[in-house]
């Protein structure tokens, strides 16, 4: 499994491994989810995560300098309180 993962990130891909990578992913993904939570609880009318929007990441693979698809996670959070919109929002396919 480790070998398989190493082919998806690292020096020979467009997703380099760097010091603080885990914390970076936590920060931008958490900010997107936090924005969605604030919207769900009417704590904000508009939320913008300038460090987010890393939509190239797949379910089990980093891609295009994107390690975690924070947009999908924020949408899933929004759909917890707004399920009627689920038919209107075309979620990107997340293939393994």
């Amino acid at each position: 499994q480790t070998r398989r993962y190493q082919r998806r990130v690292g020096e020979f891909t467009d997703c380099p491994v760097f010091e603080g990578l885990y914390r970076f992913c936590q920060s931008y993904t958490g900010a997107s989810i936090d924005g969605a939570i604030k919207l769900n609880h009417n704590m904000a009318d508009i939320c913008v995560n300038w460090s987010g929007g890393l939509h190239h990441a797949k379910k089990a693979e980093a891609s295009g300098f994107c390690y975690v698809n924070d947009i999908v996670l924020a949408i899933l959070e929004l759909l917890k309180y707004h399920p009627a919109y689920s038919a209107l929002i075309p979620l990107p396919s997340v293939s393994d």
Side-chain angles (χ1 to χ4, degrees), residues 5-83:
Y5 177 74
Q6 287 172 339
R7 286 181 284 192
R8 295 181 180 166
V9 295
E11 67 179 293
F12 300 110
T13 70
D14 58 1
C15 297
V17 175
F18 57 89
E19 185 71 33
L21 174 61
Y22 183 76
R23 181 74 177 118
F24 169 70
C25 292
Q26 278 184 316
S27 295
Y28 79 79
T29 304
S32 294
I33 294 170
D34 188 52
I37 290 170
K38 288 186 185 321
L39 292 169
N40 280 342
H41 294 284
N42 294 316
M43 296 169 65
D45 293 326
I46 298 171
C47 291
V48 177
N49 177 9
W50 295 112
S51 65
L54 302 177
H55 61 280
H56 292 116
K58 298 177 177 82
K59 182 178 181 180
E61 181 178 353
S63 178
F65 298 100
C66 304
Y67 300 90
V68 176
N69 193 328
D70 62 305
I71 297 170
V72 169
L73 297 176
I75 290 171
L76 291 172
E77 183 63 37
L78 290 168
L79 290 175
K80 290 178 183 178
Y81 288 80
H82 309 283

Side-chain angles (χ1 to χ4, degrees), residues 79 82-90:
L79 290 175
H82 309 283
Y85 290 102
S86 62
L88 304 175
I89 302 172

